[in-house]
PDB file of all heavy atoms in Angstrom:
ATOM      1  N   SER J 152     -65.212  56.039 -95.287  1.00 96.00           N
ATOM      2  CA  SER J 152     -64.777  56.260 -93.852  1.00 96.00           C
ATOM      3  C   SER J 152     -63.366  55.701 -93.570  1.00 96.00           C
ATOM      4  O   SER J 152     -62.582  56.263 -92.926  1.00 96.00           O
ATOM      5  CB  SER J 152     -65.728  55.475 -92.934  1.00 96.00           C
ATOM      6  OG  SER J 152     -65.401  55.413 -91.676  1.00 96.00           O
ATOM      7  N   LEU J 153     -63.182  54.508 -94.250  1.00 96.00           N
ATOM      8  CA  LEU J 153     -61.836  53.900 -94.189  1.00 96.00           C
ATOM      9  C   LEU J 153     -60.741  54.668 -94.768  1.00 96.00           C
ATOM     10  O   LEU J 153     -59.714  54.840 -94.260  1.00 96.00           O
ATOM     11  CB  LEU J 153     -61.839  52.465 -94.906  1.00 96.00           C
ATOM     12  CG  LEU J 153     -60.649  51.635 -94.622  1.00 96.00           C
ATOM     13  CD1 LEU J 153     -60.446  51.292 -93.114  1.00 96.00           C
ATOM     14  CD2 LEU J 153     -60.915  50.442 -95.371  1.00 96.00           C
ATOM     15  N   LYS J 154     -61.122  55.372 -95.847  1.00 96.00           N
ATOM     16  CA  LYS J 154     -60.127  56.312 -96.441  1.00 96.00           C
ATOM     17  C   LYS J 154     -59.773  57.385 -95.462  1.00 96.00           C
ATOM     18  O   LYS J 154     -58.433  57.726 -95.398  1.00 96.00           O
ATOM     19  CB  LYS J 154     -60.744  56.852 -97.704  1.00 96.00           C
ATOM     20  CG  LYS J 154     -59.851  57.835 -98.398  1.00 96.00           C
ATOM     21  CD  LYS J 154     -60.573  58.352 -99.641  1.00 96.00           C
ATOM     22  CE  LYS J 154     -59.894  59.550-100.263  1.00 96.00           C
ATOM     23  NZ  LYS J 154     -60.691  60.257-101.435  1.00 96.00           N
ATOM     24  N   GLY J 155     -60.791  57.930 -94.779  1.00 95.00           N
ATOM     25  CA  GLY J 155     -60.603  58.983 -93.807  1.00 95.00           C
ATOM     26  C   GLY J 155     -59.591  58.552 -92.691  1.00 95.00           C
ATOM     27  O   GLY J 155     -58.655  59.242 -92.296  1.00 95.00           O
ATOM     28  N   GLU J 156     -59.919  57.389 -92.153  1.00 96.00           N
ATOM     29  CA  GLU J 156     -59.088  56.850 -91.231  1.00 96.00           C
ATOM     30  C   GLU J 156     -57.733  56.493 -91.627  1.00 96.00           C
ATOM     31  O   GLU J 156     -56.669  56.745 -90.893  1.00 96.00           O
ATOM     32  CB  GLU J 156     -59.685  55.355 -90.695  1.00 96.00           C
ATOM     33  CG  GLU J 156     -60.870  55.531 -89.884  1.00 96.00           C
ATOM     34  CD  GLU J 156     -61.674  54.271 -89.580  1.00 96.00           C
ATOM     35  OE1 GLU J 156     -60.866  53.341 -89.316  1.00 96.00           O
ATOM     36  OE2 GLU J 156     -62.726  54.208 -89.489  1.00 96.00           O
ATOM     37  N   VAL J 157     -57.538  55.985 -92.901  1.00 96.00           N
ATOM     38  CA  VAL J 157     -56.110  55.713 -93.425  1.00 96.00           C
ATOM     39  C   VAL J 157     -55.360  56.933 -93.469  1.00 96.00           C
ATOM     40  O   VAL J 157     -54.181  57.073 -93.207  1.00 96.00           O
ATOM     41  CB  VAL J 157     -56.179  55.012 -94.706  1.00 96.00           C
ATOM     42  CG1 VAL J 157     -54.824  54.866 -95.469  1.00 96.00           C
ATOM     43  CG2 VAL J 157     -56.685  53.513 -94.599  1.00 96.00           C
ATOM     44  N   LYS J 158     -56.033  58.040 -94.053  1.00 96.00           N
ATOM     45  CA  LYS J 158     -55.373  59.320 -94.206  1.00 96.00           C
ATOM     46  C   LYS J 158     -54.849  59.831 -92.740  1.00 96.00           C
ATOM     47  O   LYS J 158     -53.879  60.318 -92.632  1.00 96.00           O
ATOM     48  CB  LYS J 158     -56.397  60.358 -94.829  1.00 96.00           C
ATOM     49  CG  LYS J 158     -56.427  60.241 -96.266  1.00 96.00           C
ATOM     50  CD  LYS J 158     -57.336  61.299 -96.821  1.00 96.00           C
ATOM     51  CE  LYS J 158     -56.725  62.184 -97.713  1.00 96.00           C
ATOM     52  NZ  LYS J 158     -57.731  63.190 -98.295  1.00 96.00           N
ATOM     53  N   MET J 159     -55.812  59.781 -91.831  1.00 96.00           N
ATOM     54  CA  MET J 159     -55.342  60.143 -90.498  1.00 96.00           C
ATOM     55  C   MET J 159     -54.184  59.458 -89.964  1.00 96.00           C
ATOM     56  O   MET J 159     -53.235  59.990 -89.470  1.00 96.00           O
ATOM     57  CB  MET J 159     -56.628  60.053 -89.503  1.00 96.00           C
ATOM     58  CG  MET J 159     -56.412  60.566 -88.026  1.00 96.00           C
ATOM     59  SD  MET J 159     -57.792  60.436 -87.122  1.00 96.00           S
ATOM     60  CE  MET J 159     -57.696  58.640 -86.805  1.00 96.00           C
ATOM     61  N   ILE J 160     -54.274  58.034 -90.047  1.00 97.00           N
ATOM     62  CA  ILE J 160     -53.118  57.253 -89.550  1.00 97.00           C
ATOM     63  C   ILE J 160     -51.785  57.565 -90.344  1.00 97.00           C
ATOM     64  O   ILE J 160     -50.800  57.740 -89.604  1.00 97.00           O
ATOM     65  CB  ILE J 160     -53.419  55.859 -89.726  1.00 97.00           C
ATOM     66  CG1 ILE J 160     -54.600  55.335 -88.745  1.00 97.00           C
ATOM     67  CG2 ILE J 160     -52.213  54.820 -89.551  1.00 97.00           C
ATOM     68  CD1 ILE J 160     -55.169  53.935 -88.995  1.00 97.00           C
ATOM     69  N   LEU J 161     -51.898  57.645 -91.663  1.00 97.00           N
ATOM     70  CA  LEU J 161     -50.763  58.012 -92.440  1.00 97.00           C
ATOM     71  C   LEU J 161     -50.205  59.447 -92.022  1.00 97.00           C
ATOM     72  O   LEU J 161     -49.002  59.617 -91.889  1.00 97.00           O
ATOM     73  CB  LEU J 161     -51.003  58.003 -93.967  1.00 97.00           C
ATOM     74  CG  LEU J 161     -51.190  56.648 -94.522  1.00 97.00           C
ATOM     75  CD1 LEU J 161     -51.593  56.711 -96.084  1.00 97.00           C
ATOM     76  CD2 LEU J 161     -49.899  55.827 -94.334  1.00 97.00           C
ATOM     77  N   GLY J 162     -51.204  60.324 -91.810  1.00 96.00           N
ATOM     78  CA  GLY J 162     -50.739  61.665 -91.443  1.00 96.00           C
ATOM     79  C   GLY J 162     -49.981  61.631 -90.040  1.00 96.00           C
ATOM     80  O   GLY J 162     -49.059  62.276 -89.806  1.00 96.00           O
ATOM     81  N   ASN J 163     -50.594  60.811 -89.097  1.00 96.00           N
ATOM     82  CA  ASN J 163     -49.918  60.619 -87.689  1.00 96.00           C
ATOM     83  C   ASN J 163     -48.487  60.041 -87.914  1.00 96.00           C
ATOM     84  O   ASN J 163     -47.567  60.425 -87.233  1.00 96.00           O
ATOM     85  CB  ASN J 163     -50.761  59.777 -86.835  1.00 96.00           C
ATOM     86  CG  ASN J 163     -52.041  60.463 -86.477  1.00 96.00           C
ATOM     87  OD1 ASN J 163     -52.160  61.856 -86.509  1.00 96.00           O
ATOM     88  ND2 ASN J 163     -53.005  59.779 -85.842  1.00 96.00           N
ATOM     89  N   LYS J 164     -48.471  58.971 -88.857  1.00 97.00           N
ATOM     90  CA  LYS J 164     -47.091  58.345 -89.007  1.00 97.00           C
ATOM     91  C   LYS J 164     -46.139  59.359 -89.672  1.00 97.00           C
ATOM     92  O   LYS J 164     -45.015  59.315 -89.281  1.00 97.00           O
ATOM     93  CB  LYS J 164     -47.394  57.072 -89.991  1.00 97.00           C
ATOM     94  CG  LYS J 164     -48.186  55.995 -89.448  1.00 97.00           C
ATOM     95  CD  LYS J 164     -47.334  55.087 -88.603  1.00 97.00           C
ATOM     96  CE  LYS J 164     -48.131  53.971 -88.155  1.00 97.00           C
ATOM     97  NZ  LYS J 164     -47.428  53.005 -87.017  1.00 97.00           N
ATOM     98  N   VAL J 165     -46.591  60.122 -90.605  1.00 97.00           N
ATOM     99  CA  VAL J 165     -45.601  61.048 -91.283  1.00 97.00           C
ATOM    100  C   VAL J 165     -45.129  62.121 -90.159  1.00 97.00           C
ATOM    101  O   VAL J 165     -44.043  62.316 -90.015  1.00 97.00           O
ATOM    102  CB  VAL J 165     -46.245  61.779 -92.496  1.00 97.00           C
ATOM    103  CG1 VAL J 165     -45.590  63.013 -92.740  1.00 97.00           C
ATOM    104  CG2 VAL J 165     -46.552  60.852 -93.501  1.00 97.00           C
ATOM    105  N   HIS J 166     -46.222  62.522 -89.364  1.00 96.00           N
ATOM    106  CA  HIS J 166     -45.830  63.553 -88.281  1.00 96.00           C
ATOM    107  C   HIS J 166     -44.807  62.899 -87.295  1.00 96.00           C
ATOM    108  O   HIS J 166     -43.801  63.499 -86.892  1.00 96.00           O
ATOM    109  CB  HIS J 166     -47.128  63.994 -87.517  1.00 96.00           C
ATOM    110  CG  HIS J 166     -46.739  64.915 -86.397  1.00 96.00           C
ATOM    111  ND1 HIS J 166     -46.322  66.185 -86.656  1.00 96.00           N
ATOM    112  CD2 HIS J 166     -46.845  64.821 -85.075  1.00 96.00           C
ATOM    113  CE1 HIS J 166     -46.163  66.848 -85.606  1.00 96.00           C
ATOM    114  NE2 HIS J 166     -46.374  66.008 -84.524  1.00 96.00           N
ATOM    115  N   GLN J 167     -45.164  61.537 -86.944  1.00 97.00           N
ATOM    116  CA  GLN J 167     -44.166  60.919 -85.932  1.00 97.00           C
ATOM    117  C   GLN J 167     -42.821  60.634 -86.564  1.00 97.00           C
ATOM    118  O   GLN J 167     -41.780  60.818 -85.907  1.00 97.00           O
ATOM    119  CB  GLN J 167     -44.779  59.545 -85.550  1.00 97.00           C
ATOM    120  CG  GLN J 167     -44.061  58.716 -84.536  1.00 97.00           C
ATOM    121  CD  GLN J 167     -43.922  59.470 -83.260  1.00 97.00           C
ATOM    122  OE1 GLN J 167     -44.979  60.023 -82.797  1.00 97.00           O
ATOM    123  NE2 GLN J 167     -42.799  59.602 -82.684  1.00 97.00           N
TER     124      GLN J 167
END
Side-chain angles (χ1 to χ4, degrees):
S152 174
L153 187 60
K154 178 183 170 187
E156 291 177 30
V157 167
K158 279 179 123 178
M159 185 181 71
I160 291 169
L161 286 176
N163 289 343
K164 292 276 184 189
V165 167
H166 179 71
Q167 184 63 45

